[in-house]
Amino acid sequence: MNDLPYRPCAGFMLVNSDRRVFVGQRIDPRTHGFWQMPQGGIDPGEEVRDAALRELAEETGIAEALVEVIAKTPAPLHYDLPPDLLGVAWKGKYRGQEQHWFLGRFLGSDADIDLEAHDPPEFNAYRWVDPLALPDLIVPFKRDVYRALVDEFLDLI
């Protein structure tokens, strides 16, 4: 496992006017029942910020014009896949992810959210949650990343 690289990834913590964070319920049967913030791989040559906003738009239908980017994590956060997903996820190419995270304010309304904006969709439902609840909603192997994000961004929310 230590010989495999981390998959480059960008994520977005989107906060509404009530200071609650967007989470989507994963459709993926391996992680169904868990909730996560929009995130995904960075394409070759793509800027990290552009990737985060692209992933946000793909997974939520929210246009960049409806988002005010506030902050970025000073360094990427990492997680390793659990043994049962190692060699399975991402065709076995990666040991986990190196994630660059952004915080932004949502300037729109729930009417601007479209979980089917991308084919196939990633989420089958969404909700707005207290930021302190985030680590309890994500799959266990990503909890340390979500704890670090809450620590980093809480004062800005």
Side-chain angles (χ1 to χ4, degrees), residues 3-58:
D3 295 337
L4 292 174
Y6 285 102
R7 178 180 183 243
C9 176
F12 209 95
M13 181 186 281
L14 187 68
V15 179
N16 69 9
S17 60
D18 295 326
R19 296 188 171 111
R20 297 178 69 79
V21 177
F22 177 96
V23 291
Q25 185 177 43
R26 300 268 313 175
I27 291 175
D28 184 337
R30 296 173 295 192
T31 56
H32 182 72
F34 290 102
W35 298 76
Q36 73 175 40
M37 293 179 286
Q39 58 98 59
I42 300 170
D43 293 335
E46 187 176 31
E47 294 294 324
V48 175
R49 184 180 189 276
D50 294 340
L53 289 166
R54 175 183 50 75
E55 287 292 335
L56 178 65
E58 286 178 1

Side-chain angles (χ1 to χ4, degrees), residues 66-125:
L66 296 176
V67 178
E68 175 191 359
V69 177
I70 299 168
K72 178 185 182 294
T73 52
L77 302 171
H78 297 84
Y79 73 82
D80 290 329
L81 290 170
D84 62 313
L85 291 179
L86 192 61
V88 176
W90 309 302
K91 300 177 184 174
K93 294 180 185 178
Y94 303 102
R95 67 188 276 183
Q97 288 194 0
E98 174 180 277
Q99 297 185 319
H100 303 264
W101 282 90
F102 290 81
L103 171 67
R105 294 202 194 290
F106 182 39
L107 306 175
S109 70
D110 282 11
D112 297 307
I113 298 171
D114 178 6
L115 298 183
E116 295 184 13
H118 187 262
D119 186 25
E122 298 236 0
F123 302 133
N124 61 8

Side-chain angles (χ1 to χ4, degrees), residues 131-146:
L132 296 175
L134 289 170
D136 294 329
L137 300 173
I138 190 68
V139 292
F141 60 91
K142 294 183 183 180
R143 285 194 178 137
D144 287 342
V145 168
Y146 273 40

